Structure formats: C-alpha cells, structure tokens
C-alpha cells in the first residue's frame, strides 16, 4: 500500500514548485552550482525550483531545515560533504544525522579548491606564503564559511600541515567572503575553484596553490599545494542533492533521473567543466553511490580532522 501510494504520488510529482535548500549564502559556490542544476532540472520537471539560501553556522542551519521538511519531494537539499561528513568531527552535537535524516538523490560533481590571497599580500609563491604566515601568525587572518564548511576543511588542513595558528574569520558563505578578500579585508582562504576562478583570472586576488594532486587546466601556472611545499595535501569537495528521510523511493528515482539529464545537457556540462567541476560517471550517479560516498567521506575526514587537532565546538 505504502509503495502504491508512493508510486501514485510520484506520477503527479511535482505538483507544485520545489524548494531547493542551499545552506550557504547566495553568490557562493554551493549556490552557483545549485542554480545551474536547478534551472535545467526545473525545465525538465515543468515546475519552478526556488533556491532557498538558508545560510549560517557552517551550513548546519539549512541542512537541519531540510531534514525537518515534509518528505514529499517538494523540498530538496543541495549541499556538500563538509556539512554532512566533516562537521561530525567539529560539533559536539549536530541538529541532524546526515545518514539517517536525509536520503541521497545524486552527486552534483566534485570540486578542486584553490589557496587564494588578497592581492596585496607580499608573497609570490607558496614558500613565501608559508614563511609569511608563520612569521605573522598573530596578525594573519583567514576567511571561511563557518565550522565544517568546505573552506574550513581546506583551511584547517592547510594550517595544521603548515603548523600555524591564525585568526579565523567566519562568513555565511564564501560568496560574501570572496568580496571581502577582493577588498583586502583578510589575508587568505582555501575555496572551491568554482567561486574564485573569475577573480583570479581578473587579477583581483592571487592564486598560490591548488588542492588537487594535479594542476588545473584553468590555472596551468599555479602549482599544486602538494608539489609546492606540503606533500600529501589534497582536499576536494563533492556536492550532492539530498531529500528528507521518508521521501518516496519513486520520487527519489525521478529526481535522480532528472538530475542525470540536467548534468548530461551540453550547455550545463560545458559551464560546469569551465568552472573546474569534475562531473560524475554513470556509475557514480546513483543514489546508492552518493550514500556510499557520504559514508566513505565520514570514514576519511572525521579521523583526519580529529588528527589535525581541532577541538569540537
Ligand atoms: C564552503 O566553504 O563551505 C562553501 O564555499 C560554502 C558556500 O557555498 O559559500
């Protein structure tokens, strides 16, 4: 009966506009990716998808809102592994269980990060950057999007491997943080390439290193952080679509299929590839694959963050 009811619901689905919760500020990387994907999914579903930027507290406010929403497919969540995996190590108590309160729909893509500084920081490469930060720990400030954010993970692993302690400036997302970095209001951040490429290319901020084991085609002259001085440094961020627990399986299947169609669209692919997004293969695209990726990310990052010595809030 339950599954018959679910199938009937799926046939009429979506019967009204869908809210896509993004747990970070508008204009940042999660928001940008969500909007590209939402627009194409909305065309395919024949219903509007409204992005709700429920930002704050490192994304935990928005994820909690999604976890409590009616499980009828009309509220979905677009977020990243920071809010679902990394922050388990960083909060004494989270307002949700990412594996129990949400169901995976499908991965959106995986993003490299870039260590960027304000234009006026007096360093020209990673060695000078590391020396400068070490020598100026009392005054250097790095920006991030709250505890457990992707930019927090990128920054805390960097700072821990450089053996420095610097002041952390939290924002509701790296969209607003980037504006302040361009304005020279803090010194550096580690952010997803999707957010910072344009400002690097316009010369408004400096790129010091990339977080992947290989250089990015978009920034061929920027070394990897690993090659430039911190062997072993590697952080990439996956983003994915989730639904509240209890969302009928038939609706999850439909959303997964439409997400797959959106990501297969030529214009969407080109836009995302230009933004350095690593798109999923067919095998990586199922709800089950996203569930397995979440589990693997918890197993990888919770001990790594604990080992970096960051105390939970
Ligand atoms: C993060 O650091 O978690 C992201 O950049 C958040 C965002 O989308 O602003």
């Amino acid at each position: 009966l339950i599954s018959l009811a679910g199938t009937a619901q799926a046939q009429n689905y979506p019967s009204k506009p869908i809210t896509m919760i993004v747990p970070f500020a508008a204009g940042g990387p999660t928001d940008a990716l969500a909007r590209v994907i939402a627009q194409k999914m909305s065309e395919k579903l024949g219903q509007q998808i409204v992005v709700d930027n429920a930002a704050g507290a490192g994304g935990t406010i928005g994820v909690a809102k999604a976890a409590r929403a009616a499980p009828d497919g009309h509220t979905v969540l677009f977020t990243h592994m920071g809010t679902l995996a990394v922050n388990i190590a960083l909060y004494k108590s989270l307002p949700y269980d990412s594996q129990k309160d949400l169901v995976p729909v499908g991965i959106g893509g995986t993003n490299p990060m870039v260590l960027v500084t304000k234009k006026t920081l007096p360093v020209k490469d990673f060695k000078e950057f590391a020396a400068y930060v070490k020598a100026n720990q009392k005054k250097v400030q790095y920006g991030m999007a709250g505890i457990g954010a992707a930019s927090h993970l990128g920054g805390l692993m960097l700072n821990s491997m450089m053996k420095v302690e610097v002041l952390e400036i939290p924002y509701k997302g790296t969209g607003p943080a980037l504006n302040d970095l361009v304005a020279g209001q803090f010194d550096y951040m580690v952010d997803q390439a999707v957010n910072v490429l344009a400002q690097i290319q316009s010369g408004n901020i400096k790129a010091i290193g990339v977080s992947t084991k290989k250089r990015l085609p978009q920034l061929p002259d920027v070394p990897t952080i690993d090659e430039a001085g911190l062997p072993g440094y590697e952080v990439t961020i996956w983003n994915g679509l989730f639904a509240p627990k209890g969302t009928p399986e038939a609706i999850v299947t439909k959303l997964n299929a439409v997400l797959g169609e959106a990501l297969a669209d030529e214009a969407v692919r080109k836009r995302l590839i230009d933004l350095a997004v690593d798109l999923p293969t067919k095998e990586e695209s199922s709800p089950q694959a996203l569930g397995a990726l979440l589990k693997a990310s918890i197993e990888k990052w919770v001990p790594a963050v604990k080992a970096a010595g960051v105390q939970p809030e």
Side-chain angles (χ1 to χ4, degrees):
L1 256 185
I2 291 173
S3 92
L4 273 182
T7 309
Q9 231 178 326
Q11 270 160 7
N12 300 326
Y13 172 81
S15 57
K16 58 180 184 185
I18 296 170
T19 298
M20 185 181 281
I21 294 178
V22 166
F24 292 99
T30 319
D31 179 71
L33 297 172
R35 283 175 199 268
V36 170
I37 290 169
Q39 194 197 345
K40 191 49 74 180
M41 285 183 73
S42 153
E43 275 170 41
K44 309 241 171 229
L45 286 164
Q47 273 288 357
Q48 214 191 337
I49 299 182
V50 181
V51 172
D52 171 13
N53 296 96
T60 56
I61 291 173
V63 177
K65 186 174 177 184
R68 287 193 304 265
D72 61 3
H74 292 98
T75 304
V76 292
L77 169 71
F78 191 82
T79 192
H80 62 51
M81 64 179 226
T83 61
L84 302 180
V86 176
N87 67 9
I88 294 171
L90 294 168
Y91 288 84
K92 287 197 186 112
S93 110
L94 275 172
Y96 50 84
D97 179 322
S98 56
Q99 291 181 288
K100 290 195 181 131
D101 299 339
L102 297 164
V103 288
V105 174
I107 187 172
T110 304
N111 297 287
M113 304 189 91
V114 190
L115 165 60
V116 285
T117 71
K118 67 180 180 187
K119 201 175 159 179
T120 54
L121 203 76
V123 303
K124 64 173 184 322
D125 58 23
F126 184 81
K127 285 215 160 51
E128 288 187 12
F129 168 81
Y132 179 88
V133 174
K134 201 154 209 149
N136 294 282
Q137 289 181 58
K138 291 217 162 57
K139 67 168 196 192
V140 167
Q141 302 184 332
Y142 96 95
M144 41 76 105
I147 304 294
S151 46
H152 185 210
L153 176 66
L156 79 84
M157 296 308 291
L158 182 86
N159 295 338
S160 151
M161 289 174 75
M162 292 197 301
K163 300 190 173 53
V164 296
E165 274 186 44
V166 299
L167 195 64
E168 196 165 87
I169 312 290
Y171 287 85
K172 285 192 172 173
T174 51
L178 181 62
N179 293 338
D180 277 6
L181 187 67
V182 169
Q185 293 186 13
F186 64 88
D187 299 298
Y188 68 96
M189 72 174 166
V190 182
D191 194 12
Q192 294 172 74
V194 47
N195 198 38
V196 290
L197 282 176
Q199 294 288 12
I200 295 168
Q201 281 151 358
S202 318
N204 294 329
I205 51 175
K206 291 198 268 200
I208 301 294
V210 297
S211 72
T212 40
K213 281 280 165 73
K214 278 195 186 150
R215 293 188 183 201
L216 303 182
Q218 291 81 355
L219 301 171
D221 300 332
V222 179
T224 68
I225 296 171
D226 172 275
E227 75 181 90
L230 288 186
Y233 185 91
E234 186 180 17
V235 183
T236 58
I237 306 296
W238 57 257
N239 290 264
L241 191 63
F242 289 80
K245 172 187 147 201
T247 303
E249 205 180 314
I251 289 182
V252 171
T253 304
K254 186 162 185 172
L255 280 168
N256 173 271
V258 174
L259 171 64
E261 286 171 33
L263 291 174
D265 177 87
E266 262 322 301
V268 169
R269 285 184 77 78
K270 180 170 180 339
R271 171 118 185 82
L272 294 178
I273 290 169
D274 286 349
L275 290 169
V277 178
D278 190 5
L279 291 166
T281 61
K282 199 164 170 29
E283 294 69 48
E284 290 164 346
S285 299
S286 66
Q288 292 73 19
L290 180 56
L293 183 60
L294 172 57
K295 183 169 179 285
S297 300
I298 293 171
E299 285 164 4
K300 173 177 177 177
W301 285 113
V302 171
V305 166
K306 284 190 177 152
V310 184
Q311 294 306 314
E313 295 268 306

